[in-house]
Amino acid sequence: MNSFSHLDTLESESIHIMREVASACRNPALLFSGGKDSIVMLRLAEKAFRPCKFPFPLVHIDTEHNFPEVIETRDRLAASLGERLIVRSLEDSIRRGSIVIRNPDLPRNPFQSVTLLETIAEFGFDACMGGARRDEEKARAKERIFSFRDEFGQWDPKNQRPELWDIYNTRVHQGENIRVFPISNWTELDIWQYIEREKLHIPSIYYAHRREVIRRGNSVMPVSDLVRPKAGEKIEVLSVRFRTVGDMTCTAPVESEAISIKEIIEETAASRITERGATRMDDQTSEASMELRKKEGYF
């Protein structure tokens, strides 16, 4: 007798959610960045809809400050599956004047919501599936799997639709949309165990590697053209890996020697710090808090 594992249960729930979106929504999209969570989402979409093509395009809102290893993985995976990839850049919004960044040293992640809302309007998407998980951050923990957004693309945490017995309300008026999170109930450990089980290819920066970094606050930041030492900061070379990836100016690695998925799973199981709490500096100020960004339209 075959046993139904914990990962099988999560996978089944996520596939059900994706199929619900495809059947009930007029024009959905799958947000795909090339990071580990969106790579898992891609595999779930394969299991939900293959051998047919996906009933939605892949969409990435590119800050132009992403790690090149992640962008390479994004493009290669989309091409290998033969799926349509729509990329919209913050640079486009900056040229249009809809985004004004007065300090070029600021992280670009908080501005993604503007370009995302413009992309939703451009293509008329009524649902966008994202790879957010409840264990990542407290604002994401309070959000429903089907997250209703008003005609301005905004989220009201005090006005959410009930989700009883896996019954989802997908009705939206013209101009409104839904953000859907099929892996909301997964944890970081679940993600890594699924990557191991499915033998998924992920960007190399998720594995331990030696890299020039600087110590800034309680984090180590990767040195790049966008992140240079300030007065009093020294460049060090450490063995690090990334638990999450985003804007290079605000995504910090953790010191690690884990060079295999098995070793990453062991480190993740022993960690008592959430991945974003340890590595995303843009979540650590009230001005750029996740809940504030989500109210403004962030996924």
Side-chain angles (χ1 to χ4, degrees), residues 39-68:
I39 289 172
V40 166
M41 290 273 287
L42 207 62
R43 173 53 58 88
L44 293 167
E46 285 186 79
K47 293 194 174 188
F49 303 108
R50 284 296 193 243
C52 298
K53 290 187 68 72
F54 297 167
F56 40 71
L58 310 179
V59 175
H60 184 216
I61 306 302
D62 191 348
T63 66
E64 302 287 349
H65 286 178
N66 294 292
F67 291 94

Side-chain angles (χ1 to χ4, degrees), residues 134 137-144 155 157 160 291:
R134 287 190 174 121
E137 203 274 339
K138 59 186 178 181
R140 285 180 166 167
K142 68 173 68 171
E143 191 168 18
R144 301 288 194 267
W155 173 62
Q160 300 192 71
E291 183 158 331

Side-chain angles (χ1 to χ4, degrees), residues 64-66 104-105 216 222-228 247-249:
E64 302 287 349
H65 286 178
N66 294 292
D105 294 330
R216 186 167 292 174
V223 175
S224 68
D225 291 341
L226 300 170
V227 178
R228 304 302 304 173
D247 190 316
M248 285 191 288
T249 64

Side-chain angles (χ1 to χ4, degrees), residues 147-208:
S147 181
F148 173 78
R149 304 302 175 106
D150 65 20
E151 63 271 26
F152 302 106
Q154 297 180 328
W155 173 62
D156 180 0
K158 295 181 179 180
N159 182 25
Q160 300 192 71
R161 297 174 177 181
E163 292 181 346
L164 304 174
W165 306 294
D166 296 332
I167 298 174
Y168 304 109
N169 185 343
T170 60
R171 294 183 180 179
V172 294
H173 297 293
Q174 185 68 31
E176 299 172 342
N177 65 83
I178 302 172
R179 309 293 168 80
V180 185
F181 306 106
I183 61 172
S184 187
N185 289 329
W186 296 49
T187 66
E188 182 186 9
L189 183 59
D190 295 328
I191 291 293
W192 285 115
Q193 290 175 332
Y194 193 76
I195 289 171
E196 180 185 47
R197 189 183 86 171
E198 299 294 312
K199 297 180 173 55
L200 300 179
H201 173 82
I202 56 173
S204 59
I205 59 174
Y206 281 114
Y207 299 102

Side-chain angles (χ1 to χ4, degrees), residues 243-280:
R243 291 176 66 182
T244 181
V245 294
D247 190 316
M248 285 191 288
T249 64
C250 64
T251 304
V254 294
E255 294 186 54
S256 172
E257 300 291 339
I259 59 173
S260 69
I261 297 294
K262 182 176 182 295
E263 291 172 335
I264 291 174
I265 288 173
E266 291 172 353
E267 277 193 0
T268 303
S271 176
R272 294 295 176 266
I273 303 175
T274 65
E275 61 190 276
R276 293 188 73 95
T279 64
R280 294 298 283 270

Side-chain angles (χ1 to χ4, degrees), residues 4-146:
F4 203 62
S5 71
H6 172 63
L7 287 181
D8 291 331
T9 302
L10 290 172
E11 179 187 73
S12 178
E13 177 189 53
S14 299
I15 289 172
H16 166 69
I17 291 167
M18 285 188 170
R19 288 174 175 168
E20 184 75 9
V21 171
S23 65
C25 297
R26 176 184 51 82
N27 186 22
L30 175 63
L31 301 177
F32 177 66
S33 67
K36 69 181 189 307
D37 299 302
S38 62
I39 289 172
V40 166
M41 290 273 287
L42 207 62
R43 173 53 58 88
L44 293 167
E46 285 186 79
K47 293 194 174 188
F49 303 108
R50 284 296 193 243
C52 298
K53 290 187 68 72
F54 297 167
F56 40 71
L58 310 179
V59 175
H60 184 216
I61 306 302
D62 191 348
T63 66
E64 302 287 349
H65 286 178
N66 294 292
F67 291 94
E69 298 94 332
V70 179
I71 296 302
E72 186 277 329
T73 300
R74 178 201 71 185
D75 293 342
R76 185 178 50 77
L77 286 176
S80 67
L81 289 172
E83 296 293 342
R84 181 187 180 197
L85 174 64
I86 298 171
V87 178
R88 290 296 180 267
S89 168
L90 264 67
E91 291 290 345
D92 299 329
S93 299
I94 291 170
R95 283 192 289 270
R96 285 191 294 268
S98 51
I99 291 178
V100 178
I101 302 178
R102 303 187 186 284
N103 182 353
D105 294 330
L106 285 175
R108 289 190 168 191
N109 276 2
F111 300 95
Q112 279 183 292
S113 55
V114 174
T115 308
L116 175 59
L117 292 176
E118 290 175 342
T119 305
I120 289 172
E122 177 185 355
F123 292 94
F125 295 131
D126 59 345
C128 290
M129 291 181 284
R133 308 186 323 270
R134 287 190 174 121
D135 76 321
E136 288 182 272
E137 203 274 339
K138 59 186 178 181
R140 285 180 166 167
K142 68 173 68 171
E143 191 168 18
R144 301 288 194 267
I145 291 175
F146 280 66

